[in-house]
Amino acid sequence: MNILSIETSCDETALSIISTNTKEKNFSVRANALISQIDIHKEYGGVFPALAKREHAKNVTPLLIHVLKEATLYHEGTTDLSLPELEATLEREPELFNALVAVLSNTRKPDIDALMVTYGPGLTPALWVGINFARALSIVWDIPIIPVNHMEGHITSILFSKDYMNEQKALIDMNQVDLPVIALLISGGHTQLVLVKQWGHYEIIGETIDDAVGEAFDKVGRMLGMEYPGGPKVSQTAQQGVDDQRVSLPRPMISSGDYRFSFSGLKTAVRYLVEDQEKKNALDEHMIANIAREFEHAVTDVLVKKTTSALLEYGAQGLIIAGGVSANTHIINSFKECIEKEFSELTLYTPEQGLSGDNSLMIASAGFIQLLTHDNPYITADELVAVGNLKLS
Ligand code: KG4
Ligand code: ZN
């Protein structure tokens, strides 16, 4: 089967095409493309939902042509469109409707058998673009849809092998991942510890009660004068920092004895520290680096402490760290050190390059798990809706 996967939950418009081999429990990647909106949102210091929606609507159709060509599935020709039905489906997306009609009416139905699309969690207006796009294609091409949870996407993003773009088998052998594993999901919107006893079934054992880790990184970045998204810049700057007695931040809820996280207070503590140093005229480059370093250490200490407790309590065989913040080298190195010392039998799984931030291959891997584990993972266009606060289950 050839499957098109679609991700538009936040500020990346991403499409991929995979060819499945369910007998081998694997697939190959035929095309993978992404348009990031980061430069557009920079001005606003964060993702601006109405703008994200507009950009997705503008980009998703050209991206479709791009991936169809990359997968050699694009053929000029004609497709009979039922315009009233398509127009009704895309009632709220006039721009997308016009773009799709222009393209689809001049394209032969490609050899695509199904669609996979993120239906939550995420920014609802952004999610709807991908969903309406999938609904339209489902109707025009008469193919079913597998709805995908974005967070399952982050978890399964670790299943890709190193050379995933070139391999016939893009995924590692799933049977070699001993379960249960604990997944620490750290992104701009989420901070969760998830127990994976079985692929396709997830239990959230703890999450943040306020800000997500990535969100805290981004807000701290802004306080330190960095552009959105601040996460990678805070982390880079932290490498120049040193221990500094003037800079000390709390480790929120580190001893709470549960798996809840809180990063809002830590962010406020950084604000006070910054204001204080500004007043003293001491907020120079070194001070900024020292604050960034202490912030990164505070976050890491809490993540490591809570995650190791979960590993012990649930007898985990492996640890998955995924989501945009899993690109943070200090966090990953700290986990590596801790595992080496205390959990020598445990396997650490992190996404390969290009798969830690939002992308559509992770949606393909999560949709593929559904194909393998559910009798009928498909739904029809009219059953598909966005669920902004969708939970893993
Ligand atoms: O998973 P993701 O791409 O989008 C969401 O689903 O939220 O995560 C994006 C988040 C942003 O907050 C970004 O600043 C953060 O991941 N991030 C990092 C690093 N790289 C990305 N945070 C800290 N250190 C990094 N190296
Ligand atoms: Zn994400």
Side-chain angles (χ1 to χ4, degrees):
M1 276 208 304
N2 294 326
I3 304 180
L4 172 73
S5 70
I6 305 162
E7 156 65 34
T8 66
S9 70
C10 190
D11 59 350
E12 324 279 357
T13 317
L15 299 182
S16 308
I17 297 174
I18 59 164
S19 277
T20 64
N21 182 340
T22 35
K23 224 200 224 150
E24 294 276 348
K25 294 193 178 175
N26 222 310
F27 60 74
S28 63
V29 178
R30 297 196 47 173
N32 182 37
L34 178 150
I35 298 177
S36 171
Q37 302 174 5
I38 281 183
D39 285 340
I40 290 156
H41 295 289
K42 257 180 193 164
E43 265 185 69
Y44 301 87
V47 182
F48 192 63
L51 206 56
K53 173 186 154 81
R54 194 189 75 190
E55 288 299 305
H56 287 309
K58 189 174 90 190
N59 292 332
V60 74
T61 308
L63 212 51
L64 172 67
I65 300 303
H66 178 91
V67 290
L68 285 176
K69 284 182 175 165
E70 192 182 329
T72 61
L73 293 173
Y74 177 82
H75 304 287
E76 280 179 16
T78 49
T79 298
D80 260 342
L81 302 178
S82 159
L83 286 181
E85 192 180 7
L86 197 56
E87 196 165 13
T89 305
L90 295 177
E91 198 187 344
R92 303 239 189 127
E93 319 275 355
E95 193 192 354
L96 187 55
F97 172 75
N98 290 332
L100 259 182
V101 168
V103 160
L104 292 181
S105 51
N106 293 310
T107 314
R108 243 174 36 213
K109 177 187 179 305
D111 183 14
I112 299 272
D113 306 287
L115 302 160
M116 294 168 172
V117 61
T118 306
Y119 74 110
L123 302 171
T124 307
L127 286 165
W128 270 113
V129 180
I131 284 175
N132 281 328
F133 184 69
R135 291 168 74 203
L137 293 181
S138 162
I139 291 167
V140 172
W141 292 342
D142 192 22
I143 53 176
I145 302 166
I146 300 178
V148 173
N149 183 315
H150 181 87
M151 300 315 287
E152 183 174 13
H154 277 303
I155 294 177
T156 60
S157 70
I158 60 92
L159 289 172
F160 286 89
S161 60
K162 214 170 204 65
D163 204 14
Y164 59 88
M165 287 303 293
N166 298 318
E167 296 279 350
Q168 270 316 95
K169 294 179 181 176
L171 303 181
I172 59 172
D173 181 356
M174 263 178 254
N175 294 326
Q176 296 206 346
V177 181
D178 286 331
L179 302 174
V181 299
I182 291 287
L184 172 66
L185 303 181
I186 40 180
S187 72
H190 291 84
T191 302
Q192 294 180 331
L193 277 168
V194 178
L195 174 64
V196 186
K197 279 194 201 150
Q198 233 182 312
W199 290 110
H201 297 274
Y202 308 95
E203 186 189 333
I204 299 175
I205 59 168
E207 60 189 325
T208 180
I209 56 171
D210 42 53
D211 289 359
V213 175
E215 189 182 357
F217 262 97
D218 294 340
K219 287 176 178 166
V220 165
R222 192 144 97 186
M223 291 173 209
L224 298 178
M226 296 161 189
E227 268 187 337
Y228 173 83
K233 287 154 203 127
V234 169
S235 176
Q236 241 171 13
T237 309
Q239 286 175 22
Q240 264 80 59
V242 292
D243 282 339
D244 183 337
Q245 296 169 7
R246 296 168 297 171
V247 177
S248 157
L249 290 167
R251 272 62 177 157
M253 295 182 80
I254 197 159
S255 302
S256 64
D258 57 22
Y259 300 119
R260 290 177 307 155
F261 299 89
S262 165
F263 296 105
S264 165
L266 177 59
K267 174 192 73 188
T268 310
V270 174
R271 174 170 298 123
Y272 289 144
L273 196 55
V274 168
E275 284 170 3
D276 190 42
Q277 296 303 319
E278 261 172 348
K279 262 189 230 142
K280 292 178 183 153
N281 244 336
L283 194 68
D284 59 8
E285 195 187 313
H286 301 292
M287 177 54 73
I288 287 178
N290 296 350
I291 294 175
R293 176 186 151 97
E294 172 65 1
F295 168 75
E296 192 172 70
H297 282 208
V299 168
T300 307
D301 288 350
V302 176
L303 294 178
V304 170
K305 170 83 188 296
K306 302 238 170 194
T307 306
T308 50
S309 300
L311 293 173
L312 285 172
E313 179 174 345
Y314 292 95
Q317 304 293 306
L319 168 63
I320 291 172
I321 308 180
V325 186
S326 70
N328 183 293
T329 34
H330 177 73
I331 294 176
I332 296 298
N333 288 340
S334 304
F335 270 103
K336 280 186 183 157
E337 246 171 62
C338 164
I339 288 170
E340 214 166 277
K341 266 196 225 144
E342 296 171 43
F343 299 88
S344 52
E345 303 289 296
L346 189 111
T347 314
L348 175 65
Y349 301 96
T350 54
E352 293 297 337
Q353 183 118 27
L355 297 174
S356 61
D358 292 347
N359 64 86
S360 48
L361 280 181
M362 72 186 210
I363 302 311
S365 55
F368 188 64
I369 294 279
Q370 310 245 344
L371 257 179
L372 295 180
T373 56
H374 291 56
D375 288 339
N376 180 12
Y378 299 112
I379 61 169
T380 58
D382 52 335
E383 290 170 311
L384 182 65
V385 290
V387 184
N389 60 357
L390 181 66
K391 290 273 177 206
L392 267 175
S393 59

